[in-house]
Amino acid sequence: MNRNKLIAISIVLVAAISLLVSDSLLQSAAMVSAGIELPQGAFVLLQDFSDLPADARYVPRPPTPPRRRPVVPPGELDLMATPADILLMMEEAEHEFADQVPAGNIVPRHFTNRNATDVFGDLAVYNLTATQRERDFSQDLAQPLTLQLDPDLPSILIYHTHTTEGFEIIDRPWYAANWDSRTTNYNRNIVRVGEEIVDMLRRAGFNVIHDTRVFDIPFAGAYDRSRLAVQYWLSRYPSIQLTIDVHRDAIHRANGDRIKPVAEIMEHQVAQVMLLAGTQEENVGEFPNWETNLALASQLHVFAQQRYPGLMKPLWFTARRFNMDLAPYALFFEIGTDANTLQESVLAGRVFGEALSAFLLEYAK
């Protein structure tokens, strides 16, 4: 082969490679452009996943589509049966975490009316507001709710602003030095607890959307990203009347102790649940529906506490919005802390989900 032919072949190869690279770049650009144009994709593509935990094995997971389950009579449900996947996880953890070293104490605690600033019958409130310090919460218990939940259309949205909030796996009186409670493993974080709540609502006949996308990587801006998600779902399904942001808490003492709130329900230890309601004051503006949200949270707190005595921590009333201004009605609650086990939190999610379902049946069309 002469020199001129070699040069010609080289030019053709370079041109072909350039076309392939250009095509690849164009496809990437098109994907990013599509993500920016489509609300349901924008905040997913623009998240920064560079600092994921080592055990994350993150695979983007789309929201589960709306679906229905047949109504199952409560008598046929064993609310206190630990799911098989959790039992297997606990068994595996005994070996997986065998070499962990204690770093501090885990202290069980049961929160009661004594931890509240205001008590109105079965409603216990921890009031952190400035302008509503003298509020008579009995008016919120008496306020009629105008919820109308259509079982034939998506009417409830559940999501998790702090999606990576995780739990202990083994029930023990200490936490490990190398333990990171935040994880993108859906089987170990708050999404798994949310699945129990969704399951109970669907069993009762409600049409629920469960958005399981990660919003808190990076942690800063999580509420901005989840806000985009809520706005998207509300625009797509105007039938949504109730949005629910499900979290877990973290209570750490100065001496290093971590507190896990627990209650005994049907002879089983479960995590306690805390509802949170906001108000409009100081730097919190444009929150026109805060009183209807407070009424909903107050009435649900009483209903769940009467149904399962001891399950509820005092309701937190604070000057925050937490995206609860977007829908006609919104709930925000925390199940357990980072010191509770996944088993305790999953059982709490199931029990609270049953109470929530029974409460909302009054407002089903």
Side-chain angles (χ1 to χ4, degrees):
M1 185 177 297
N2 61 38
R3 185 169 178 273
N4 290 337
K5 286 185 177 180
L6 284 172
I7 293 174
I9 292 172
S10 298
I11 291 172
V12 171
L13 288 172
V14 169
I17 292 171
S18 298
L19 285 172
L20 288 173
V21 171
S22 299
D23 186 57
S24 176
L25 290 173
L26 285 171
Q27 289 180 12
S28 298
M31 288 175 65
V32 172
S33 174
I36 292 173
E37 291 173 6
L38 296 175
Q40 68 268 38
F43 49 88
V44 173
L45 287 176
L46 297 179
Q47 286 185 65
D48 177 15
F49 300 114
S50 60
D51 58 346
L52 287 176
D55 71 330
R57 298 185 295 278
Y58 179 78
V59 177
R61 177 178 176 180
T64 52
R67 61 187 175 91
R68 298 287 301 280
R69 280 194 175 187
V71 175
V72 177
E76 297 181 15
L77 296 174
D78 186 354
L79 295 176
M80 291 294 108
T82 301
D85 64 313
I86 306 297
L87 290 174
L88 178 60
M89 200 180 305
M90 293 163 61
E91 181 180 346
E92 293 174 343
E94 293 288 349
H95 303 284
E96 181 183 352
F97 305 143
D99 59 347
Q100 287 185 331
V101 178
N105 299 319
I106 289 179
V107 181
R109 182 177 174 186
H110 180 69
F111 290 82
T112 68
N113 291 1
R114 294 191 300 274
N115 304 108
T117 60
D118 302 86
V119 178
F120 293 81
D122 288 313
L123 174 63
V125 180
Y126 193 79
N127 191 341
L128 296 173
T129 65
T131 60
Q132 299 292 327
R133 295 298 299 172
E134 305 302 322
R135 186 175 186 82
D136 179 4
F137 291 93
S138 60
Q139 65 181 328
D140 303 299
L141 294 174
Q143 179 177 326
L145 304 178
T146 58
L147 266 172
Q148 292 188 343
L149 303 174
D150 191 336
D152 295 321
L153 297 171
S155 57
I156 301 173
L157 167 67
I158 292 183
Y159 65 103
H160 311 274
T161 294
H162 294 156
T163 325
T164 66
E165 290 176 330
F167 303 88
E168 293 281 343
I169 305 301
I170 305 173
D171 187 12
R172 57 193 180 187
W174 52 271
Y175 60 90
N178 61 341
W179 178 251
D180 184 359
S181 66
R182 307 193 75 86
T183 175
T184 52
N185 186 333
Y186 284 104
N187 297 315
R188 293 189 176 188
N189 65 23
I190 192 64
V191 173
R192 181 64 184 82
V193 178
E195 285 289 337
E196 295 296 324
I197 300 169
V198 171
D199 181 63
M200 297 307 298
L201 288 168
R202 286 173 175 163
R203 285 178 182 273
F206 292 103
N207 199 322
V208 184
I209 295 173
H210 189 194
D211 193 330
T212 62
R213 286 173 287 190
V214 174
F215 300 117
D216 60 341
I217 298 179
F219 189 79
Y223 282 99
D224 295 330
R225 289 185 285 276
S226 66
R227 188 176 185 86
L228 288 174
V230 174
Q231 290 172 327
Y232 164 71
W233 287 116
L234 290 174
S235 65
R236 182 171 179 179
Y237 296 111
S239 54
I240 293 175
Q241 294 291 299
L242 174 62
T243 63
I244 305 175
D245 195 358
V246 183
H247 293 248
R248 68 112 169 98
D249 202 356
I251 306 174
H252 298 175
R253 288 177 175 167
N255 65 357
D257 288 351
R258 295 184 180 179
I259 308 301
K260 70 168 182 176
V262 292
E264 185 172 320
I265 306 295
M266 291 181 276
E267 300 181 349
H268 286 74
Q269 182 167 284
V270 307
Q272 282 189 288
V273 180
M274 182 180 75
L275 284 158
L276 186 147
T279 185
Q280 180 174 304
E281 65 177 38
E282 299 172 347
N283 296 325
V284 181
E286 299 182 9
F287 195 175
N289 60 328
W290 72 264
E291 287 190 282
T292 57
N293 283 338
L294 176 59
L296 171 62
S298 300
Q299 294 172 34
L300 174 58
H301 175 101
V302 169
F303 185 90
Q305 184 73 347
Q306 291 178 346
R307 198 171 185 86
Y308 300 106
L311 177 65
M312 305 303 295
K313 293 170 61 180
L315 183 154
W316 271 50
F317 184 40
T318 182
R320 299 291 295 274
R321 283 192 312 180
F322 293 120
N323 293 335
M324 291 189 287
D325 58 305
L326 296 175
Y329 286 91
L331 288 171
F332 181 114
F333 52 83
E334 298 179 333
I335 297 183
T337 70
D338 57 349
N340 282 99
T341 65
L342 181 62
Q343 179 188 37
E344 293 165 344
S345 303
V346 162
L347 293 181
R350 186 185 295 165
V351 169
F352 184 71
E354 192 281 330
L356 176 63
S357 302
F359 176 84
L360 292 177
L361 280 175
E362 180 181 345
Y363 305 100
K365 284 187 178 180

